[in-house]
Amino acid sequence: MAKEVKVLVACGSGVATSTIAQEAIKEIAKDAGVKIRLMKGTIAEVPMKQKDVDVVFTTANYRKSLEKPHLSVFGLVSGINKAGTAKKVEELLKKLAAE
């Protein structure tokens, strides 16, 4: 049985682009058959909030090292290489659900 994947979606303000990315990630997970639990936050909250999740997706550049897997999902917001970004999100969610 695949486990539920806890996801943090973060952007600069924790409101605008993370909401767009969150909706896209919900669809990707649903289409991939992966159950997820979403949390939103700001880039500044990532170091603290990563302790409560399995993976961190950011819409802004985040260069600090994290304890959890991290992926920039700006493409889901901008539309630039959206399909490629969606594929990476799907692969990462499936991998984490199988662990």
Side-chain angles (χ1 to χ4, degrees):
M1 171 98 183
K3 73 168 189 162
E4 178 180 68
V5 179
K6 292 185 261 309
V7 175
L8 172 63
V9 182
C11 71
S13 67
V15 180
T17 57
S18 62
T19 302
I20 296 166
Q22 174 182 299
E23 292 307 310
I25 291 165
K26 272 188 206 172
E27 281 300 309
I28 293 164
K30 182 177 155 196
D31 292 346
V34 177
K35 188 175 179 188
I36 62 171
R37 182 180 309 155
L38 281 162
M39 292 174 59
K40 281 191 347 184
T42 66
I43 290 293
E45 293 173 324
V46 167
M48 181 183 69
K49 286 192 170 184
Q50 73 168 324
K51 294 168 178 43
D52 300 323
V53 298
D54 300 309
V55 63
V56 177
F57 295 119
T58 59
T59 62
N61 268 342
Y62 191 84
R63 299 197 189 284
K64 296 177 185 155
S65 62
L66 293 172
E67 298 163 20
K68 303 292 170 79
H70 166 252
L71 183 65
S72 172
V73 292
F74 183 70
L76 298 178
V77 178
S78 69
I80 299 168
N81 193 22
K82 186 173 186 175
T85 303
K87 186 169 175 26
K88 287 179 183 175
V89 169
E90 179 183 345
E91 289 169 356
L92 186 52
L93 289 175
K94 283 181 173 178
K95 179 180 170 230
L96 292 168
E99 286 179 353

